[in-house]
Amino acid sequence: MTVITMLSLFTARENDHEDGDIQDLVMSFSGLEEKVLEQYTFAKANLIRSAATTFLLDSGVQWGAAPAVKGVRDVAVELLHTLVAVHAEVFAGAKPLLDKTLGILVEGLIDTFLSLVDEHRSKDLKSLDANGFCQLMLELEYFETILNPYLTPVATESLKSLQGVLLEKATESVSEAVENPGHHRRPTRGSEDALADERQQGMTVSPDDLIALAQQYSRELLQAELERTRINTACFVVSIPMDSLPESAKAAYASFRGSMDASSRPYGAMDSPSRNYRGAQPTGSPSFSRQRRR
């Protein structure tokens, strides 16, 4: 064996060792990254659950006799602030993990809604009138629009399930209220009264009735609410794919995105029994199954 051959073998072995060391180092850092991400998202998920509980159960709304829908409640904007804070932290310290982190937390948020509805369906959410249903549908669509870049397929399916569960609960509650009007008070003139008026004309309460009302509120209120609160959620605007948004949302965000770009500051449906929630309308949530997610 020549000296040159021996040197070549030695160099090859050294290169193999270096490659193995680099691979081991990469795997070690990847494992550490996963552990840190797991701990971080766990801590933030606890904060999000607390904010979601306030949004759904502790905001003072009696969902069986809810006031008329006037817009997105402050408590909904406050819930989004927990994700705004996460966006700020991760954007500043670990930007490559931003999409993954928020994707995990958005999935967790919707699953939290589902678990809260299930846990409290016989108490705080025993009844859900038409006003309450439309209020929640408007706010869920508001969340969906703003958090669009971080809605994973899993989160989208969870959202469909959540909307379906609420539709089923509202249909049962409104039908019961119509059949037993003396057992339910109606302190405001809102969507439930409109359904009751239809009932007096011989019509029957159906999921389609509730879906139509939810669509109406979305058309009337969503764009204005996105515009009203756009400063609160400015961090999400830059990355929202405009082509994927409903027309109402595009109009709300177009001018604001332009001002953000100009300043160079990167940070600061329901499936009814007979038809799709969106139908031919440009607004509304994606169609969703009425079946609870298994």
Side-chain angles (χ1 to χ4, degrees):
M1 181 179 294
T2 66
V3 174
I4 295 177
T5 302
M6 292 176 64
L7 289 174
S8 298
L9 291 173
F10 179 77
T11 302
R13 290 173 182 172
E14 285 296 312
N15 289 338
D16 289 342
H17 287 153
E18 288 180 2
D19 290 343
D21 290 342
I22 292 173
Q23 185 176 1
D24 290 342
L25 188 61
V26 169
M27 292 179 63
S28 296
F29 274 110
S30 296
L32 179 60
E33 178 183 283
E34 289 298 322
K35 289 182 179 179
V36 171
L37 181 61
E38 181 181 352
Q39 291 296 318
Y40 180 82
T41 53
F42 179 79
K44 296 304 178 180
N46 286 334
L47 294 176
I48 289 172
R49 181 176 178 84
S50 177
T53 301
T54 299
F55 164 81
L56 194 60
L57 305 174
D58 300 332
S59 60
V61 176
Q62 300 297 321
W63 295 110
V69 183
K70 296 181 180 179
V72 172
R73 295 171 297 150
D74 289 343
V75 71
V77 180
E78 291 169 3
L79 172 57
L80 275 179
H81 284 172
T82 60
L83 291 170
V84 170
V86 170
H87 191 289
E89 291 175 353
V90 180
F91 189 96
K95 188 177 178 181
L97 295 177
L98 181 62
D99 288 354
K100 185 174 183 180
T101 303
L102 283 173
I104 291 171
L105 292 176
V106 170
E107 284 183 11
L109 171 63
I110 300 173
D111 283 342
T112 294
F113 284 146
L114 274 167
S115 66
L116 288 173
V117 170
D118 186 61
E119 291 168 16
H120 297 270
R121 63 186 305 123
S122 61
K123 187 179 178 183
D124 301 270
L125 296 172
K126 184 177 182 179
S127 179
L128 178 64
D129 70 5
N131 284 334
F133 172 76
C134 291
Q135 181 72 55
L136 289 175
M137 289 301 100
L138 175 65
E139 290 169 347
L140 288 177
E141 187 170 358
Y142 173 79
F143 294 149
E144 180 186 10
T145 300
I146 291 172
L147 299 174
N148 182 276
Y150 311 107
L151 276 176
T152 65
V154 172
T156 299
E157 287 304 309
S158 293
L159 180 60
K160 292 177 183 179
S161 296
L162 175 60
Q163 292 169 317
V165 170
L166 293 175
L167 177 61
E168 182 179 0
K169 169 61 69 174
T171 302
E172 294 173 355
S173 298
V174 174
S175 297
E176 181 184 350
V178 171
E179 293 171 2
N180 303 285
H183 296 165
H184 299 265
R185 62 186 180 90
R186 298 191 179 97
T188 60
R189 287 292 300 179
S191 54
E192 186 175 351
D193 292 304
L195 286 177
D197 291 342
E198 290 180 345
R199 200 54 71 278
Q200 292 173 1
Q201 299 173 13
M203 298 177 66
T204 59
V205 173
S206 72
D208 285 350
D209 296 330
L210 292 168
I211 289 169
L213 283 165
Q215 283 183 303
Q216 179 181 339
Y217 279 115
S218 175
R219 289 192 297 270
E220 294 175 354
L221 299 173
L222 180 60
Q223 179 176 338
E225 291 301 278
L226 290 168
E227 292 174 347
R228 180 178 69 85
T229 62
R230 62 188 181 182
I231 299 299
N232 302 80
T233 56
C235 61
F236 300 121
V237 175
V238 176
S239 55
I240 290 180
M242 296 292 284
D243 291 343
S244 69
L245 298 181
E247 292 299 326
S248 59
K250 290 180 184 179
Y253 282 136
S255 61
F256 187 56
R257 170 175 279 185
S259 66
M260 291 285 288
D261 292 341
S263 63
S264 299
R265 292 166 58 188
Y267 183 76
M270 298 179 288
D271 275 342
S272 72
S274 60
R275 65 176 181 273
N276 183 274
Y277 181 28
R278 271 190 181 178
Q281 300 296 336
T283 63
S285 302
S287 61
F288 68 87
S289 168
R290 295 181 60 199
Q291 298 296 320
R292 181 187 298 271
R293 191 175 65 144
R294 300 297 180 188

